Amino acid sequence: MPFIPYQECLERLNNQIKKNQPLIGAGAGTGISAKFAEKGGVDIIIIYNSGRYRMAGRGSAAGILAYGDANEIVVDMAREVLPVVQDTPVLAGVCGTDPFRLMPVFLKQLKEMGFDGVQNFPTVGVIDGNFRQILEETGMSYDLEVEMIRQAHELEMLTCPYVFDVDQTIKMTEAGADVLVTHMNTTVKGSIGVSADVAPTLEEAAKRIQEMHDVAKEIREDVIVLCHGGPIAEPEDAQYIFEHTEGVAGFFGASSVERLATERAIEAQARSFKDLTI
C-alpha cells in the first residue's frame, strides 16, 4: 500500500467528522479481511496478533497469553495485509511492554515497512486484579504503552491507543494520542465472544465512554474519541452509543467487523449448498 503521511491521515479523519460521518476502524486478521473492509469504506485498518488467533477460531483474549511473540506476529501478518490495502491507513498493534525490543528502533522499522500508525495491543489494560498489580510492579506497566504511543507520535505516526478508564485517558491524551479508542471489554456475541455478564451494559458503556471523552477534550480539543468492544458488537449497538453520547466520532471493531461477519457468511453459504437438491 502507499505510505500515507501523518498530516494527511489526520485530515482524512477530520474531514469525515466535519461531514458528520462516523469514523470506522476495522481489525484485520487476514488479507481478505483487510481487502474487503477497505471496500466497505472503513477509515482505518488495524492488524495485531489477536486477529490471527481470532480468524483461527480462537478468542481474541488469546492475544494476551504466551502463545507467540506478539510483535513478531504483527510483522509476519504485515506481509499478508499491507500489499492488498490500496488507500487506507494501516496501524500495527504494538506490545509496548515487550522487554526484548528497543521500542524506538522497532517503531521506525514498522514505519519503514509501510505502517502508518500504531495501537497498543496486546495491552495490560485488559488485565485487572492481583495479576495486574504484579505486572505493574515488575516493569510491565500500562505506562510503558503510554511511552510507546509518545514515541510513535514523535515519529509522526498516527496513534490510536486503547484506553480503559479516565486515568489512562489522561495519560494517553497528554502523550499526544490522535485517536482514543475507549475499550469496553472483549466483544460479546458470536461463537467465541464473551458472555454479556462480564461486559457493561450499553447504558453503562455510554456513561463510561462519555466520561473518558469529556476528560480528554478538556486536555486537547483536537483529540478524536471512538468506542469499542463489550456490548458494542453490532451496528445498532454503535448507533445506541452515538445517540446516547456527545462528541464520540465513531467505532472501532475487530471481532465485530471480521469475526461475526465471517461466522455468519460461511455458515449461511455452506447451508445454501447443503440445501440444494440432487
Side-chain angles (χ1 to χ4, degrees):
M1 63 160 287
F3 291 61
I4 303 174
Y6 172 66
Q7 289 299 331
E8 183 178 339
C9 288
L10 288 179
E11 287 174 9
R12 289 188 185 191
L13 299 182
N14 283 306
N15 284 338
Q16 294 294 306
I17 294 172
K18 290 175 183 176
K19 296 175 184 177
N20 287 324
Q21 296 179 342
L23 297 178
I24 304 299
T30 66
I32 198 165
S33 296
K35 185 175 185 177
F36 285 91
E38 182 175 47
K39 284 182 177 291
V42 301
D43 302 286
I44 305 169
I45 293 171
I46 305 95
I47 63 176
Y48 51 84
N49 71 326
S50 271
R52 171 160 290 178
Y53 298 123
R54 181 167 53 243
M55 299 310 285
R58 304 299 177 181
S60 297
I64 306 296
L65 299 176
Y67 299 141
D69 180 339
N71 286 328
E72 186 58 37
I73 288 171
V74 167
V75 170
D76 184 58
M77 291 171 71
R79 290 192 284 269
E80 177 179 346
V81 174
L82 288 175
V84 301
V85 177
Q86 299 300 310
D87 190 38
T88 304
V90 179
L91 276 55
V94 177
C95 181
T97 57
D98 187 341
F100 302 107
R101 302 271 175 179
L102 294 173
M103 197 52 62
V105 175
F106 183 55
L107 291 173
K108 289 178 183 177
Q109 291 172 341
L110 292 174
K111 188 172 183 179
E112 290 173 357
M113 288 177 62
F115 283 106
D116 301 298
V118 298
Q119 185 173 62
N120 57 323
F121 196 89
T123 169
V124 299
V126 299
I127 302 170
D128 57 14
N130 213 36
F131 183 50
R132 172 63 177 277
Q133 185 175 347
I134 291 170
L135 293 174
E136 293 284 342
E137 293 181 3
T138 54
M140 290 166 278
S141 70
Y142 187 85
D143 285 346
L144 288 176
E145 299 176 28
V146 175
E147 181 58 27
M148 181 273 290
I149 292 295
R150 188 189 312 279
Q151 292 173 10
H153 176 70
E154 291 171 354
L155 289 173
E156 292 198 324
M157 301 180 78
L158 188 69
T159 52
C160 305
Y162 281 133
V163 292
F164 299 81
D165 57 36
V166 166
D167 181 59
Q168 293 172 7
T169 298
I170 293 170
K171 289 180 178 180
M172 284 297 190
T173 306
E174 291 178 342
D178 301 299
V179 180
L180 299 174
V181 183
T182 57
H183 198 299
M184 295 295 112
N185 210 323
T186 302
T187 302
V188 303
K189 300 183 181 179
S191 66
I192 50 176
V194 299
S195 60
D197 59 356
V198 300
T201 65
L202 277 171
E203 182 179 2
E204 291 167 342
K207 292 178 180 177
R208 286 173 54 184
I209 292 164
Q210 188 69 64
E211 187 178 14
M212 287 187 270
H213 168 276
D214 292 349
V215 74
K217 289 290 187 176
E218 288 177 6
I219 299 169
R220 278 192 18 243
E221 183 61 35
D222 64 335
V223 70
I224 297 169
V225 178
L226 308 182
C227 59
H228 167 75
I232 319 168
E234 304 286 358
E236 56 267 27
D237 301 326
Q239 187 65 52
Y240 177 94
I241 298 297
F242 299 157
E243 292 174 358
H244 290 80
T245 56
E246 184 175 348
V248 175
F251 168 74
F252 166 63
S255 292
S256 296
V257 174
E258 65 172 354
R259 175 175 66 80
L260 295 180
T262 300
E263 288 177 0
R264 295 164 185 162
I266 293 178
E267 181 178 354
Q269 185 78 339
R271 289 190 185 280
S272 295
F273 279 101
K274 188 62 179 175
D275 290 340
L276 297 175
T277 57
I278 299 296

